[in-house]
């Protein structure tokens, strides 16, 4: 019995020693792995390069472009459908006695950048004289819409927009990666058409500002006359829908559609103006219309923020219901729908601008 107890004690003593040695070895190995991972992580860390190009503007903007201005016009995005709708709306307002040149500051996002630059530069009147607005004009706009079946990289980029459920920088960067990795048609065709619509390559007017998003950093960029960028390039960047067009290089930044953003219209850029007419694809209510991404629509909060800044607002929302935002077949009906809406709204807009 005595010998048995001694052997048992020795067995447990050895077991304890092995446990301590094993635990120590595991801790040392874990520490080495953690150190290696930290080293690898630091080696893979992204360099923080500060661009001094004056393009990045935080949300909300401070100061804004609306300070000291009377009338502001904000034009949101919504694909080629909404570009046509807004052109019809502007044409109808002008026919109803609301001059194109009334706004003192114009902010355009995505489709709104093309329409806004045409309005700010005084070229919309020229276009409506040169072309049969409801005849040849829809064919010109339809040329903007790619008709080929999407390839897998384009489908992936579009899917990343659809699965986005917040407006975090990480989400926007994820969409940006998809945009950069998509094999899209060259933007040269889009830029040529923008030159037709806006009249030239130079900046249309100092009162126009276009928004786009940096694919890599997720920052909001605002392009203005002072940046010395051709309007065709700026509007191309503003309209570079992931998996459809672009992205587009703006100096050293690669950019995508301005709608891939926490703000659907970027109306914070006109905060402080006396009044702002905001033209949006939808009013944010359920069923009011499609969106290219599922980033939450904050239009109602944006309007409340504008009002809080002392800017009186008037929202005109197309609310088209179920339409295809990038279908050539929607161009003609969209022009007509925008024009018809302007006929109904002309008096209200005139009173608001007065």
């Amino acid at each position: 019995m005595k010998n048995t107890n001694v052997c048992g004690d020795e067995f447990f003593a050895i077991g304890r020693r092995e446990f301590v040695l094993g635990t120590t070895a595991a801790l040392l190995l874990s520490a080495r792995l953690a150190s290696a991972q930290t080293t690898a992580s630091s080696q893979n860390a992204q360099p923080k390069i500060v661009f001094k190009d004056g393009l990045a503007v935080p949300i909300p903007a401070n100061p804004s472009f609306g300070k000291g201005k009377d009338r502001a016009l904000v034009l949101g995005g919504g694909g080629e459908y909404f570009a046509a709708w807004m052109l019809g709306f502007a044409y109808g307002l002008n026919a109803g006695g609301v001059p194109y040149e009334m706004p003192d500051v114009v902010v355009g996002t995505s489709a709104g950048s093309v329409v806004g630059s045409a309005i700010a530069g005084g070229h919309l009147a020229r276009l409506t004289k040169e072309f049969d607005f409801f005849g040849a004009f829809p064919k010109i706009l339809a040329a903007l819409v790619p008709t080929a079946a999407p390839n897998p990289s384009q489908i992936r980029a579009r899917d990343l927009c659809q699965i986005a459920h917040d407006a975090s920088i990480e989400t926007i960067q994820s969409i940006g990666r998809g945009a950069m990795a998509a094999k899209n048609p060259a933007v040269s065709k889009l830029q040529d058409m923008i030159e037709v619509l806006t009249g030239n390559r130079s900046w249309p007017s100092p009162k126009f500002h276009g928004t786009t998003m940096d694919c890599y950093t997720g920052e909001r960029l605002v392009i203005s006359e002072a940046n010395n960028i051709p309007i065709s390039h700026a509007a191309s960047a503003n309209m570079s829908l992931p998996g459809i067009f672009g992205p587009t290089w703006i100096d050293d930044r690669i950019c995508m559609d301005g709608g891939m953003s926490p703000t659907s219209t970027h109306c914070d850029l006109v905060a402080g103006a006396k009044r702002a007419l905001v033209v949006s694809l939808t009013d944010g209510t359920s069923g009011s219309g499609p969106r290219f991404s599922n980033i939450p629509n904050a239009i109602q909060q944006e309007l409340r923020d504008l009002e809080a800044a002392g800017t009186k607002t008037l929202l005109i929302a197309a609310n088209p219901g179920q339409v295809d935002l990038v279908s050539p077949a929607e161009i003609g009906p969209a022009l007509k729908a925008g024009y018809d809406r302007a006929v109904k709204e002309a008096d209200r807009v005139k009173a608001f601008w007065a």
Side-chain angles (χ1 to χ4, degrees):
M1 294 293 293
K2 185 176 181 180
N3 289 339
T4 301
N5 289 338
V6 169
C7 290
D9 291 342
E10 290 176 351
F11 174 79
F12 285 118
I14 292 171
R16 284 193 296 271
R17 284 196 299 273
E18 289 176 340
F19 174 76
V20 171
L21 290 172
T23 302
T24 302
L27 289 171
L28 289 171
L29 178 60
S30 176
R32 289 194 190 100
L33 287 172
S35 176
Q37 289 172 348
T38 300
T39 301
S41 176
S42 63
Q43 289 173 346
N44 293 329
Q46 300 300 317
K48 293 184 178 180
I49 306 298
V50 178
F51 286 80
K52 297 181 180 180
D53 52 16
L55 291 171
V57 176
I59 302 172
N62 187 22
S64 79
F65 299 107
K67 296 289 186 183
K69 300 294 193 300
D70 184 359
R71 304 179 185 92
L73 176 64
V74 178
L75 302 173
E80 284 69 22
Y81 172 88
F82 196 46
W85 193 98
M86 286 187 287
L87 285 168
F89 184 73
Y91 179 57
L93 285 183
N94 187 68
V98 183
Y100 292 126
E101 64 271 13
M102 288 195 78
D104 302 305
V105 58
V106 181
V107 169
T109 295
S110 190
S113 65
V114 175
V115 180
S117 59
I119 291 173
H123 299 296
L124 197 53
R126 173 187 61 82
L127 286 172
T128 56
K129 290 178 181 177
E130 290 182 2
F131 302 106
D132 177 2
F133 198 78
F134 294 111
F137 209 65
K139 297 176 183 177
I140 295 170
L141 291 177
L144 289 171
V145 185
T147 55
N151 60 52
S153 67
Q154 291 177 303
I155 293 172
R156 175 180 57 195
R158 299 178 196 185
D159 286 348
L160 284 168
C161 296
Q162 287 300 308
I163 64 174
H165 293 292
D166 62 56
S168 66
I169 288 292
E170 292 76 16
T171 294
I172 295 169
Q173 289 174 325
S174 175
I175 293 173
R177 286 193 296 272
M180 290 188 286
K183 187 178 181 181
N184 294 325
V187 295
S188 56
K189 181 179 178 182
L190 175 61
Q191 291 172 346
D192 290 343
M193 188 56 61
I194 289 169
E195 287 186 26
V196 171
L197 294 173
T198 57
N200 52 44
R201 287 175 54 84
S202 60
W203 203 256
S205 167
K207 64 184 179 182
F208 176 70
H209 310 275
T211 66
T212 185
M213 299 299 292
D214 187 313
C215 290
Y216 184 83
T217 67
E219 294 173 290
R220 191 252 305 267
L221 311 180
V222 181
I223 308 175
S224 305
E225 185 179 56
N227 300 116
N228 295 316
I229 293 167
I231 185 59
S232 58
H233 289 65
S236 171
N238 299 350
M239 290 186 69
S240 285
L241 280 168
I244 303 287
F245 284 120
T248 301
W249 284 99
I250 296 295
D251 289 341
D252 291 324
R253 299 178 185 263
I254 189 162
C255 304
M256 62 179 171
D257 190 281
M260 305 297 110
S261 164
T263 165
S264 38
T265 60
H266 299 271
C267 7
D268 63 290
L269 293 171
V270 302
K274 185 176 179 180
R275 46 204 154 176
L277 174 62
V278 180
V279 185
S280 173
L281 177 66
T282 77
D283 59 11
T285 57
S286 178
S288 56
R291 283 171 59 79
F292 195 79
S293 85
N294 274 323
I295 294 175
N297 188 342
I299 181 65
Q300 293 299 330
Q301 183 59 53
E302 293 172 30
L303 296 176
R304 288 192 289 270
D305 292 342
L306 270 183
E307 295 277 356
T311 300
K312 186 179 179 181
T313 63
L314 173 61
L315 173 66
I316 302 291
N319 289 345
Q322 293 303 310
V323 295
D324 187 340
L325 298 179
V326 290
S327 169
E330 299 280 9
I331 300 295
L335 279 169
K336 184 68 166 55
Y339 181 87
D340 290 345
R341 182 66 178 277
V343 171
K344 297 177 181 178
E345 301 283 5
D347 288 341
R348 187 158 71 118
V349 173
K350 275 192 287 188
F352 181 75
W353 277 147

